[in-house]
Amino acid sequence: MRRAVGFSAGQWLDILRAVFELALGRIHLTSKSPRALLEMAGKRGDPIENSHKTGAVDVVIHRVSWAIAVAAGNVPWRSDCFVQAMAAQRWLNRSGITSELFIGVRKRENAAFEAHAWLRHADITVTGGDFSTFIPLAGPETWNGLNNTSPALR
């Protein structure tokens, strides 16, 4: 809490935006079908011209990543990795920054099945932390092939 006192006005605005995006992501998670969620995850936004070359994009990505992480740990509802990835992706899309949402799984010996979602922009991990032990099951290629999905996702 002491650290929060030192946040700038801009950081507080980013946290408020993150809370809004997380709330919207949580609402979508509880109210939309799996297919609709996957379709949303596949929306990459309209890219900014030469966005991969500008330092400004990296600053926005860092702000989004930071604010989502701070807000997710302090909201009164579950904001797991998928909600965080959806929230950050929507925020970046509205800023004209493309990103790719992934869903992966891992199974460790004598351990429970685990799923994880993460968001990336080029080689930058926006949300999801270390995903190196997860095998991606759904990602950009999946989102493009939604017309051929199983009936369970319709």
PDB file of all heavy atoms in Angstrom, residues 110-149:
ATOM      1  N   ASN A 110       2.442 -36.836 -12.012  1.00  0.00           N
ATOM      2  CA  ASN A 110       1.819 -36.810 -10.677  1.00  0.00           C
ATOM      3  C   ASN A 110       1.240 -35.443 -10.306  1.00  0.00           C
ATOM      4  O   ASN A 110       1.154 -35.097  -9.142  1.00  0.00           O
ATOM      5  CB  ASN A 110       2.812 -37.248  -9.597  1.00  0.00           C
ATOM      6  CG  ASN A 110       3.324 -38.637  -9.853  1.00  0.00           C
ATOM      7  OD1 ASN A 110       2.570 -39.505 -10.284  1.00  0.00           O
ATOM      8  ND2 ASN A 110       4.601 -38.852  -9.610  1.00  0.00           N
ATOM      9  N   ALA A 111       0.888 -34.644 -11.299  1.00  0.00           N
ATOM     10  CA  ALA A 111       0.302 -33.333 -11.023  1.00  0.00           C
ATOM     11  C   ALA A 111      -0.965 -33.163 -11.854  1.00  0.00           C
ATOM     12  O   ALA A 111      -1.188 -33.863 -12.836  1.00  0.00           O
ATOM     13  CB  ALA A 111       1.306 -32.231 -11.361  1.00  0.00           C
ATOM     14  N   ALA A 112      -1.742 -32.220 -11.458  1.00  0.00           N
ATOM     15  CA  ALA A 112      -3.000 -31.959 -12.157  1.00  0.00           C
ATOM     16  C   ALA A 112      -2.738 -31.271 -13.494  1.00  0.00           C
ATOM     17  O   ALA A 112      -1.703 -30.628 -13.700  1.00  0.00           O
ATOM     18  CB  ALA A 112      -3.884 -31.068 -11.293  1.00  0.00           C
ATOM     19  N   PHE A 113      -3.694 -31.424 -14.365  1.00  0.00           N
ATOM     20  CA  PHE A 113      -3.698 -30.737 -15.654  1.00  0.00           C
ATOM     21  C   PHE A 113      -3.749 -29.231 -15.391  1.00  0.00           C
ATOM     22  O   PHE A 113      -4.480 -28.765 -14.528  1.00  0.00           O
ATOM     23  CB  PHE A 113      -4.943 -31.203 -16.422  1.00  0.00           C
ATOM     24  CG  PHE A 113      -5.229 -30.420 -17.657  1.00  0.00           C
ATOM     25  CD1 PHE A 113      -4.607 -30.744 -18.850  1.00  0.00           C
ATOM     26  CD2 PHE A 113      -6.126 -29.372 -17.643  1.00  0.00           C
ATOM     27  CE1 PHE A 113      -4.884 -30.032 -19.995  1.00  0.00           C
ATOM     28  CE2 PHE A 113      -6.412 -28.658 -18.779  1.00  0.00           C
ATOM     29  CZ  PHE A 113      -5.787 -28.995 -19.960  1.00  0.00           C
ATOM     30  N   GLU A 114      -2.969 -28.459 -16.120  1.00  0.00           N
ATOM     31  CA  GLU A 114      -2.961 -27.011 -15.958  1.00  0.00           C
ATOM     32  C   GLU A 114      -3.128 -26.336 -17.313  1.00  0.00           C
ATOM     33  O   GLU A 114      -2.565 -26.783 -18.307  1.00  0.00           O
ATOM     34  CB  GLU A 114      -1.635 -26.535 -15.367  1.00  0.00           C
ATOM     35  CG  GLU A 114      -1.377 -26.966 -13.950  1.00  0.00           C
ATOM     36  CD  GLU A 114      -0.019 -26.479 -13.486  1.00  0.00           C
ATOM     37  OE1 GLU A 114       0.189 -25.251 -13.432  1.00  0.00           O
ATOM     38  OE2 GLU A 114       0.838 -27.333 -13.202  1.00  0.00           O
ATOM     39  N   ALA A 115      -3.887 -25.253 -17.334  1.00  0.00           N
ATOM     40  CA  ALA A 115      -4.044 -24.436 -18.535  1.00  0.00           C
ATOM     41  C   ALA A 115      -3.567 -23.027 -18.208  1.00  0.00           C
ATOM     42  O   ALA A 115      -3.591 -22.598 -17.043  1.00  0.00           O
ATOM     43  CB  ALA A 115      -5.499 -24.417 -18.983  1.00  0.00           C
ATOM     44  N   HIS A 116      -3.129 -22.318 -19.226  1.00  0.00           N
ATOM     45  CA  HIS A 116      -2.602 -20.965 -19.024  1.00  0.00           C
ATOM     46  C   HIS A 116      -2.826 -20.154 -20.296  1.00  0.00           C
ATOM     47  O   HIS A 116      -2.809 -20.707 -21.405  1.00  0.00           O
ATOM     48  CB  HIS A 116      -1.109 -21.045 -18.701  1.00  0.00           C
ATOM     49  CG  HIS A 116      -0.479 -19.733 -18.362  1.00  0.00           C
ATOM     50  ND1 HIS A 116      -0.977 -18.908 -17.385  1.00  0.00           N
ATOM     51  CD2 HIS A 116       0.607 -19.101 -18.870  1.00  0.00           C
ATOM     52  CE1 HIS A 116      -0.208 -17.817 -17.303  1.00  0.00           C
ATOM     53  NE2 HIS A 116       0.750 -17.921 -18.197  1.00  0.00           N
ATOM     54  N   ALA A 117      -3.051 -18.869 -20.137  1.00  0.00           N
ATOM     55  CA  ALA A 117      -3.194 -17.954 -21.277  1.00  0.00           C
ATOM     56  C   ALA A 117      -2.144 -16.864 -21.154  1.00  0.00           C
ATOM     57  O   ALA A 117      -1.792 -16.446 -20.048  1.00  0.00           O
ATOM     58  CB  ALA A 117      -4.591 -17.347 -21.294  1.00  0.00           C
ATOM     59  N   TRP A 118      -1.639 -16.429 -22.297  1.00  0.00           N
ATOM     60  CA  TRP A 118      -0.681 -15.339 -22.301  1.00  0.00           C
ATOM     61  C   TRP A 118      -0.875 -14.507 -23.557  1.00  0.00           C
ATOM     62  O   TRP A 118      -1.452 -14.955 -24.538  1.00  0.00           O
ATOM     63  CB  TRP A 118       0.755 -15.843 -22.163  1.00  0.00           C
ATOM     64  CG  TRP A 118       1.233 -16.763 -23.239  1.00  0.00           C
ATOM     65  CD1 TRP A 118       1.931 -16.415 -24.361  1.00  0.00           C
ATOM     66  CD2 TRP A 118       1.082 -18.189 -23.301  1.00  0.00           C
ATOM     67  NE1 TRP A 118       2.221 -17.536 -25.110  1.00  0.00           N
ATOM     68  CE2 TRP A 118       1.708 -18.645 -24.484  1.00  0.00           C
ATOM     69  CE3 TRP A 118       0.472 -19.133 -22.468  1.00  0.00           C
ATOM     70  CZ2 TRP A 118       1.739 -19.976 -24.846  1.00  0.00           C
ATOM     71  CZ3 TRP A 118       0.503 -20.455 -22.842  1.00  0.00           C
ATOM     72  CH2 TRP A 118       1.134 -20.864 -24.006  1.00  0.00           C
ATOM     73  N   LEU A 119      -0.407 -13.275 -23.484  1.00  0.00           N
ATOM     74  CA  LEU A 119      -0.549 -12.329 -24.583  1.00  0.00           C
ATOM     75  C   LEU A 119       0.821 -11.832 -24.981  1.00  0.00           C
ATOM     76  O   LEU A 119       1.641 -11.493 -24.118  1.00  0.00           O
ATOM     77  CB  LEU A 119      -1.435 -11.149 -24.156  1.00  0.00           C
ATOM     78  CG  LEU A 119      -1.781 -10.145 -25.246  1.00  0.00           C
ATOM     79  CD1 LEU A 119      -2.753 -10.764 -26.249  1.00  0.00           C
ATOM     80  CD2 LEU A 119      -2.386  -8.884 -24.646  1.00  0.00           C
ATOM     81  N   ARG A 120       1.064 -11.801 -26.295  1.00  0.00           N
ATOM     82  CA  ARG A 120       2.362 -11.342 -26.805  1.00  0.00           C
ATOM     83  C   ARG A 120       2.170 -10.304 -27.894  1.00  0.00           C
ATOM     84  O   ARG A 120       1.206 -10.343 -28.640  1.00  0.00           O
ATOM     85  CB  ARG A 120       3.158 -12.512 -27.358  1.00  0.00           C
ATOM     86  CG  ARG A 120       3.381 -13.554 -26.310  1.00  0.00           C
ATOM     87  CD  ARG A 120       4.568 -14.427 -26.361  1.00  0.00           C
ATOM     88  NE  ARG A 120       5.671 -14.130 -27.196  1.00  0.00           N
ATOM     89  CZ  ARG A 120       6.858 -13.685 -26.767  1.00  0.00           C
ATOM     90  NH1 ARG A 120       7.047 -13.456 -25.505  1.00  0.00           N
ATOM     91  NH2 ARG A 120       7.848 -13.497 -27.599  1.00  0.00           N
ATOM     92  N   HIS A 121       3.106  -9.398 -27.957  1.00  0.00           N
ATOM     93  CA  HIS A 121       3.236  -8.466 -29.075  1.00  0.00           C
ATOM     94  C   HIS A 121       4.655  -8.668 -29.585  1.00  0.00           C
ATOM     95  O   HIS A 121       5.621  -8.409 -28.858  1.00  0.00           O
ATOM     96  CB  HIS A 121       3.036  -7.010 -28.639  1.00  0.00           C
ATOM     97  CG  HIS A 121       3.465  -6.033 -29.681  1.00  0.00           C
ATOM     98  ND1 HIS A 121       2.665  -5.709 -30.749  1.00  0.00           N
ATOM     99  CD2 HIS A 121       4.617  -5.341 -29.844  1.00  0.00           C
ATOM    100  CE1 HIS A 121       3.310  -4.841 -31.518  1.00  0.00           C
ATOM    101  NE2 HIS A 121       4.499  -4.608 -30.983  1.00  0.00           N
ATOM    102  N   ALA A 122       4.754  -9.175 -30.807  1.00  0.00           N
ATOM    103  CA  ALA A 122       6.069  -9.506 -31.373  1.00  0.00           C
ATOM    104  C   ALA A 122       6.810 -10.401 -30.367  1.00  0.00           C
ATOM    105  O   ALA A 122       6.319 -11.456 -30.010  1.00  0.00           O
ATOM    106  CB  ALA A 122       6.840  -8.246 -31.724  1.00  0.00           C
ATOM    107  N   ASP A 123       7.957  -9.973 -29.862  1.00  0.00           N
ATOM    108  CA  ASP A 123       8.716 -10.803 -28.918  1.00  0.00           C
ATOM    109  C   ASP A 123       8.543 -10.347 -27.469  1.00  0.00           C
ATOM    110  O   ASP A 123       9.284 -10.756 -26.592  1.00  0.00           O
ATOM    111  CB  ASP A 123      10.194 -10.829 -29.299  1.00  0.00           C
ATOM    112  CG  ASP A 123      10.824  -9.446 -29.296  1.00  0.00           C
ATOM    113  OD1 ASP A 123      10.081  -8.447 -29.250  1.00  0.00           O
ATOM    114  OD2 ASP A 123      12.071  -9.358 -29.346  1.00  0.00           O
ATOM    115  N   ILE A 124       7.543  -9.518 -27.215  1.00  0.00           N
ATOM    116  CA  ILE A 124       7.291  -9.003 -25.866  1.00  0.00           C
ATOM    117  C   ILE A 124       6.111  -9.751 -25.248  1.00  0.00           C
ATOM    118  O   ILE A 124       5.037  -9.820 -25.839  1.00  0.00           O
ATOM    119  CB  ILE A 124       6.971  -7.493 -25.907  1.00  0.00           C
ATOM    120  CG1 ILE A 124       8.123  -6.710 -26.526  1.00  0.00           C
ATOM    121  CG2 ILE A 124       6.656  -6.979 -24.498  1.00  0.00           C
ATOM    122  CD1 ILE A 124       7.778  -5.264 -26.826  1.00  0.00           C
ATOM    123  N   THR A 125       6.304 -10.289 -24.058  1.00  0.00           N
ATOM    124  CA  THR A 125       5.205 -10.901 -23.322  1.00  0.00           C
ATOM    125  C   THR A 125       4.484  -9.801 -22.562  1.00  0.00           C
ATOM    126  O   THR A 125       5.085  -9.133 -21.715  1.00  0.00           O
ATOM    127  CB  THR A 125       5.717 -11.979 -22.351  1.00  0.00           C
ATOM    128  OG1 THR A 125       6.427 -12.961 -23.105  1.00  0.00           O
ATOM    129  CG2 THR A 125       4.575 -12.626 -21.596  1.00  0.00           C
ATOM    130  N   VAL A 126       3.211  -9.611 -22.882  1.00  0.00           N
ATOM    131  CA  VAL A 126       2.412  -8.554 -22.252  1.00  0.00           C
ATOM    132  C   VAL A 126       1.811  -9.070 -20.950  1.00  0.00           C
ATOM    133  O   VAL A 126       1.905  -8.423 -19.912  1.00  0.00           O
ATOM    134  CB  VAL A 126       1.298  -8.045 -23.200  1.00  0.00           C
ATOM    135  CG1 VAL A 126       0.520  -6.904 -22.570  1.00  0.00           C
ATOM    136  CG2 VAL A 126       1.868  -7.641 -24.554  1.00  0.00           C
ATOM    137  N   THR A 127       1.169 -10.234 -21.004  1.00  0.00           N
ATOM    138  CA  THR A 127       0.626 -10.875 -19.794  1.00  0.00           C
ATOM    139  C   THR A 127       0.978 -12.358 -19.852  1.00  0.00           C
ATOM    140  O   THR A 127       1.257 -12.900 -20.909  1.00  0.00           O
ATOM    141  CB  THR A 127      -0.909 -10.741 -19.685  1.00  0.00           C
ATOM    142  OG1 THR A 127      -1.519 -11.485 -20.742  1.00  0.00           O
ATOM    143  CG2 THR A 127      -1.362  -9.285 -19.732  1.00  0.00           C
ATOM    144  N   GLY A 128       0.947 -12.990 -18.704  1.00  0.00           N
ATOM    145  CA  GLY A 128       1.148 -14.439 -18.669  1.00  0.00           C
ATOM    146  C   GLY A 128       2.487 -14.888 -18.163  1.00  0.00           C
ATOM    147  O   GLY A 128       2.682 -16.079 -17.942  1.00  0.00           O
ATOM    148  N   GLY A 129       3.423 -13.964 -17.992  1.00  0.00           N
ATOM    149  CA  GLY A 129       4.711 -14.333 -17.425  1.00  0.00           C
ATOM    150  C   GLY A 129       5.436 -15.412 -18.198  1.00  0.00           C
ATOM    151  O   GLY A 129       5.423 -15.436 -19.420  1.00  0.00           O
ATOM    152  N   ASP A 130       6.059 -16.337 -17.459  1.00  0.00           N
ATOM    153  CA  ASP A 130       6.827 -17.420 -18.070  1.00  0.00           C
ATOM    154  C   ASP A 130       5.889 -18.531 -18.518  1.00  0.00           C
ATOM    155  O   ASP A 130       5.308 -19.233 -17.698  1.00  0.00           O
ATOM    156  CB  ASP A 130       7.847 -17.957 -17.080  1.00  0.00           C
ATOM    157  CG  ASP A 130       8.695 -19.080 -17.654  1.00  0.00           C
ATOM    158  OD1 ASP A 130       8.648 -19.321 -18.882  1.00  0.00           O
ATOM    159  OD2 ASP A 130       9.400 -19.734 -16.865  1.00  0.00           O
ATOM    160  N   PHE A 131       5.744 -18.691 -19.808  1.00  0.00           N
ATOM    161  CA  PHE A 131       4.858 -19.712 -20.368  1.00  0.00           C
ATOM    162  C   PHE A 131       5.653 -20.838 -21.012  1.00  0.00           C
ATOM    163  O   PHE A 131       5.088 -21.691 -21.698  1.00  0.00           O
ATOM    164  CB  PHE A 131       3.907 -19.086 -21.400  1.00  0.00           C
ATOM    165  CG  PHE A 131       4.626 -18.335 -22.479  1.00  0.00           C
ATOM    166  CD1 PHE A 131       5.077 -18.977 -23.614  1.00  0.00           C
ATOM    167  CD2 PHE A 131       4.874 -16.982 -22.335  1.00  0.00           C
ATOM    168  CE1 PHE A 131       5.761 -18.291 -24.606  1.00  0.00           C
ATOM    169  CE2 PHE A 131       5.561 -16.285 -23.323  1.00  0.00           C
ATOM    170  CZ  PHE A 131       6.000 -16.942 -24.457  1.00  0.00           C
ATOM    171  N   SER A 132       6.953 -20.869 -20.761  1.00  0.00           N
ATOM    172  CA  SER A 132       7.841 -21.803 -21.459  1.00  0.00           C
ATOM    173  C   SER A 132       7.521 -23.278 -21.210  1.00  0.00           C
ATOM    174  O   SER A 132       7.867 -24.123 -22.030  1.00  0.00           O
ATOM    175  CB  SER A 132       9.298 -21.521 -21.087  1.00  0.00           C
ATOM    176  OG  SER A 132       9.503 -21.723 -19.706  1.00  0.00           O
ATOM    177  N   THR A 133       6.856 -23.587 -20.112  1.00  0.00           N
ATOM    178  CA  THR A 133       6.538 -24.991 -19.833  1.00  0.00           C
ATOM    179  C   THR A 133       5.149 -25.391 -20.342  1.00  0.00           C
ATOM    180  O   THR A 133       4.708 -26.505 -20.095  1.00  0.00           O
ATOM    181  CB  THR A 133       6.627 -25.279 -18.317  1.00  0.00           C
ATOM    182  OG1 THR A 133       5.692 -24.445 -17.637  1.00  0.00           O
ATOM    183  CG2 THR A 133       8.041 -25.035 -17.800  1.00  0.00           C
ATOM    184  N   PHE A 134       4.482 -24.484 -21.036  1.00  0.00           N
ATOM    185  CA  PHE A 134       3.154 -24.768 -21.575  1.00  0.00           C
ATOM    186  C   PHE A 134       3.233 -25.021 -23.075  1.00  0.00           C
ATOM    187  O   PHE A 134       4.001 -24.383 -23.778  1.00  0.00           O
ATOM    188  CB  PHE A 134       2.195 -23.601 -21.297  1.00  0.00           C
ATOM    189  CG  PHE A 134       1.839 -23.469 -19.851  1.00  0.00           C
ATOM    190  CD1 PHE A 134       2.639 -22.742 -18.985  1.00  0.00           C
ATOM    191  CD2 PHE A 134       0.710 -24.090 -19.348  1.00  0.00           C
ATOM    192  CE1 PHE A 134       2.319 -22.630 -17.652  1.00  0.00           C
ATOM    193  CE2 PHE A 134       0.378 -23.992 -18.007  1.00  0.00           C
ATOM    194  CZ  PHE A 134       1.181 -23.257 -17.157  1.00  0.00           C
ATOM    195  N   ILE A 135       2.414 -25.949 -23.532  1.00  0.00           N
ATOM    196  CA  ILE A 135       2.324 -26.255 -24.961  1.00  0.00           C
ATOM    197  C   ILE A 135       1.114 -25.505 -25.503  1.00  0.00           C
ATOM    198  O   ILE A 135      -0.013 -25.726 -25.043  1.00  0.00           O
ATOM    199  CB  ILE A 135       2.144 -27.766 -25.193  1.00  0.00           C
ATOM    200  CG1 ILE A 135       3.339 -28.515 -24.617  1.00  0.00           C
ATOM    201  CG2 ILE A 135       1.934 -28.076 -26.660  1.00  0.00           C
ATOM    202  CD1 ILE A 135       3.116 -30.010 -24.504  1.00  0.00           C
ATOM    203  N   PRO A 136       1.337 -24.590 -26.459  1.00  0.00           N
ATOM    204  CA  PRO A 136       0.196 -23.842 -26.996  1.00  0.00           C
ATOM    205  C   PRO A 136      -0.788 -24.756 -27.719  1.00  0.00           C
ATOM    206  O   PRO A 136      -0.402 -25.553 -28.564  1.00  0.00           O
ATOM    207  CB  PRO A 136       0.835 -22.858 -27.979  1.00  0.00           C
ATOM    208  CG  PRO A 136       2.282 -22.850 -27.660  1.00  0.00           C
ATOM    209  CD  PRO A 136       2.602 -24.170 -27.037  1.00  0.00           C
ATOM    210  N   LEU A 137      -2.052 -24.654 -27.331  1.00  0.00           N
ATOM    211  CA  LEU A 137      -3.121 -25.392 -28.000  1.00  0.00           C
ATOM    212  C   LEU A 137      -3.936 -24.470 -28.895  1.00  0.00           C
ATOM    213  O   LEU A 137      -4.534 -24.920 -29.858  1.00  0.00           O
ATOM    214  CB  LEU A 137      -4.061 -26.035 -26.986  1.00  0.00           C
ATOM    215  CG  LEU A 137      -3.508 -27.176 -26.172  1.00  0.00           C
ATOM    216  CD1 LEU A 137      -4.580 -27.725 -25.260  1.00  0.00           C
ATOM    217  CD2 LEU A 137      -2.986 -28.283 -27.085  1.00  0.00           C
ATOM    218  N   ALA A 138      -4.000 -23.217 -28.519  1.00  0.00           N
ATOM    219  CA  ALA A 138      -4.766 -22.242 -29.290  1.00  0.00           C
ATOM    220  C   ALA A 138      -3.948 -20.963 -29.386  1.00  0.00           C
ATOM    221  O   ALA A 138      -3.357 -20.512 -28.411  1.00  0.00           O
ATOM    222  CB  ALA A 138      -6.103 -21.966 -28.619  1.00  0.00           C
ATOM    223  N   GLY A 139      -3.924 -20.433 -30.588  1.00  0.00           N
ATOM    224  CA  GLY A 139      -3.194 -19.208 -30.846  1.00  0.00           C
ATOM    225  C   GLY A 139      -3.680 -18.595 -32.138  1.00  0.00           C
ATOM    226  O   GLY A 139      -4.763 -18.936 -32.620  1.00  0.00           O
ATOM    227  N   PRO A 140      -2.907 -17.721 -32.727  1.00  0.00           N
ATOM    228  CA  PRO A 140      -3.338 -17.016 -33.929  1.00  0.00           C
ATOM    229  C   PRO A 140      -3.841 -17.914 -35.054  1.00  0.00           C
ATOM    230  O   PRO A 140      -4.818 -17.586 -35.718  1.00  0.00           O
ATOM    231  CB  PRO A 140      -2.089 -16.256 -34.355  1.00  0.00           C
ATOM    232  CG  PRO A 140      -1.331 -16.064 -33.088  1.00  0.00           C
ATOM    233  CD  PRO A 140      -1.605 -17.285 -32.267  1.00  0.00           C
ATOM    234  N   GLU A 141      -3.217 -19.072 -35.253  1.00  0.00           N
ATOM    235  CA  GLU A 141      -3.678 -19.968 -36.312  1.00  0.00           C
ATOM    236  C   GLU A 141      -5.065 -20.520 -35.989  1.00  0.00           C
ATOM    237  O   GLU A 141      -5.896 -20.708 -36.864  1.00  0.00           O
ATOM    238  CB  GLU A 141      -2.704 -21.127 -36.535  1.00  0.00           C
ATOM    239  CG  GLU A 141      -1.337 -20.705 -37.028  1.00  0.00           C
ATOM    240  CD  GLU A 141      -0.451 -20.171 -35.917  1.00  0.00           C
ATOM    241  OE1 GLU A 141      -0.602 -20.596 -34.754  1.00  0.00           O
ATOM    242  OE2 GLU A 141       0.386 -19.308 -36.210  1.00  0.00           O
ATOM    243  N   THR A 142      -5.309 -20.783 -34.710  1.00  0.00           N
ATOM    244  CA  THR A 142      -6.610 -21.287 -34.274  1.00  0.00           C
ATOM    245  C   THR A 142      -7.695 -20.264 -34.545  1.00  0.00           C
ATOM    246  O   THR A 142      -8.760 -20.574 -35.044  1.00  0.00           O
ATOM    247  CB  THR A 142      -6.589 -21.600 -32.761  1.00  0.00           C
ATOM    248  OG1 THR A 142      -5.476 -22.423 -32.480  1.00  0.00           O
ATOM    249  CG2 THR A 142      -7.874 -22.250 -32.313  1.00  0.00           C
ATOM    250  N   TRP A 143      -7.404 -19.020 -34.198  1.00  0.00           N
ATOM    251  CA  TRP A 143      -8.405 -17.961 -34.347  1.00  0.00           C
ATOM    252  C   TRP A 143      -8.788 -17.800 -35.820  1.00  0.00           C
ATOM    253  O   TRP A 143      -9.940 -17.522 -36.131  1.00  0.00           O
ATOM    254  CB  TRP A 143      -7.914 -16.641 -33.791  1.00  0.00           C
ATOM    255  CG  TRP A 143      -7.190 -16.718 -32.474  1.00  0.00           C
ATOM    256  CD1 TRP A 143      -6.063 -16.045 -32.139  1.00  0.00           C
ATOM    257  CD2 TRP A 143      -7.525 -17.484 -31.313  1.00  0.00           C
ATOM    258  NE1 TRP A 143      -5.673 -16.355 -30.863  1.00  0.00           N
ATOM    259  CE2 TRP A 143      -6.549 -17.234 -30.337  1.00  0.00           C
ATOM    260  CE3 TRP A 143      -8.551 -18.378 -31.012  1.00  0.00           C
ATOM    261  CZ2 TRP A 143      -6.581 -17.826 -29.070  1.00  0.00           C
ATOM    262  CZ3 TRP A 143      -8.568 -18.968 -29.751  1.00  0.00           C
ATOM    263  CH2 TRP A 143      -7.603 -18.686 -28.806  1.00  0.00           C
ATOM    264  N   ASN A 144      -7.837 -17.987 -36.717  1.00  0.00           N
ATOM    265  CA  ASN A 144      -8.122 -17.858 -38.144  1.00  0.00           C
ATOM    266  C   ASN A 144      -8.971 -19.012 -38.664  1.00  0.00           C
ATOM    267  O   ASN A 144      -9.645 -18.883 -39.667  1.00  0.00           O
ATOM    268  CB  ASN A 144      -6.822 -17.785 -38.954  1.00  0.00           C
ATOM    269  CG  ASN A 144      -6.055 -16.517 -38.656  1.00  0.00           C
ATOM    270  OD1 ASN A 144      -6.628 -15.508 -38.282  1.00  0.00           O
ATOM    271  ND2 ASN A 144      -4.752 -16.582 -38.817  1.00  0.00           N
ATOM    272  N   GLY A 145      -8.963 -20.160 -37.986  1.00  0.00           N
ATOM    273  CA  GLY A 145      -9.686 -21.324 -38.465  1.00  0.00           C
ATOM    274  C   GLY A 145     -10.985 -21.588 -37.705  1.00  0.00           C
ATOM    275  O   GLY A 145     -11.476 -22.697 -37.695  1.00  0.00           O
ATOM    276  N   LEU A 146     -11.559 -20.576 -37.096  1.00  0.00           N
ATOM    277  CA  LEU A 146     -12.753 -20.779 -36.290  1.00  0.00           C
ATOM    278  C   LEU A 146     -13.941 -21.304 -37.073  1.00  0.00           C
ATOM    279  O   LEU A 146     -14.814 -21.940 -36.514  1.00  0.00           O
ATOM    280  CB  LEU A 146     -13.169 -19.475 -35.589  1.00  0.00           C
ATOM    281  CG  LEU A 146     -12.436 -19.193 -34.287  1.00  0.00           C
ATOM    282  CD1 LEU A 146     -12.888 -17.869 -33.721  1.00  0.00           C
ATOM    283  CD2 LEU A 146     -12.637 -20.291 -33.288  1.00  0.00           C
ATOM    284  N   ASN A 147     -13.999 -21.066 -38.356  1.00  0.00           N
ATOM    285  CA  ASN A 147     -15.128 -21.570 -39.153  1.00  0.00           C
ATOM    286  C   ASN A 147     -15.140 -23.084 -39.213  1.00  0.00           C
ATOM    287  O   ASN A 147     -16.147 -23.680 -39.547  1.00  0.00           O
ATOM    288  CB  ASN A 147     -15.083 -20.984 -40.567  1.00  0.00           C
ATOM    289  CG  ASN A 147     -15.389 -19.507 -40.547  1.00  0.00           C
ATOM    290  OD1 ASN A 147     -16.075 -19.019 -39.653  1.00  0.00           O
ATOM    291  ND2 ASN A 147     -14.849 -18.792 -41.503  1.00  0.00           N
ATOM    292  N   ASN A 148     -14.011 -23.705 -38.895  1.00  0.00           N
ATOM    293  CA  ASN A 148     -13.929 -25.171 -38.960  1.00  0.00           C
ATOM    294  C   ASN A 148     -13.886 -25.795 -37.564  1.00  0.00           C
ATOM    295  O   ASN A 148     -13.389 -26.893 -37.400  1.00  0.00           O
ATOM    296  CB  ASN A 148     -12.669 -25.571 -39.734  1.00  0.00           C
ATOM    297  CG  ASN A 148     -12.683 -25.020 -41.136  1.00  0.00           C
ATOM    298  OD1 ASN A 148     -13.720 -25.008 -41.775  1.00  0.00           O
ATOM    299  ND2 ASN A 148     -11.551 -24.527 -41.586  1.00  0.00           N
ATOM    300  N   THR A 149     -14.389 -25.073 -36.562  1.00  0.00           N
ATOM    301  CA  THR A 149     -14.300 -25.593 -35.201  1.00  0.00           C
ATOM    302  C   THR A 149     -15.356 -26.647 -34.936  1.00  0.00           C
ATOM    303  O   THR A 149     -16.315 -26.791 -35.666  1.00  0.00           O
ATOM    304  CB  THR A 149     -14.484 -24.455 -34.156  1.00  0.00           C
ATOM    305  OG1 THR A 149     -15.741 -23.837 -34.397  1.00  0.00           O
ATOM    306  CG2 THR A 149     -13.362 -23.458 -34.233  1.00  0.00           C
TER     307      THR A 149
END
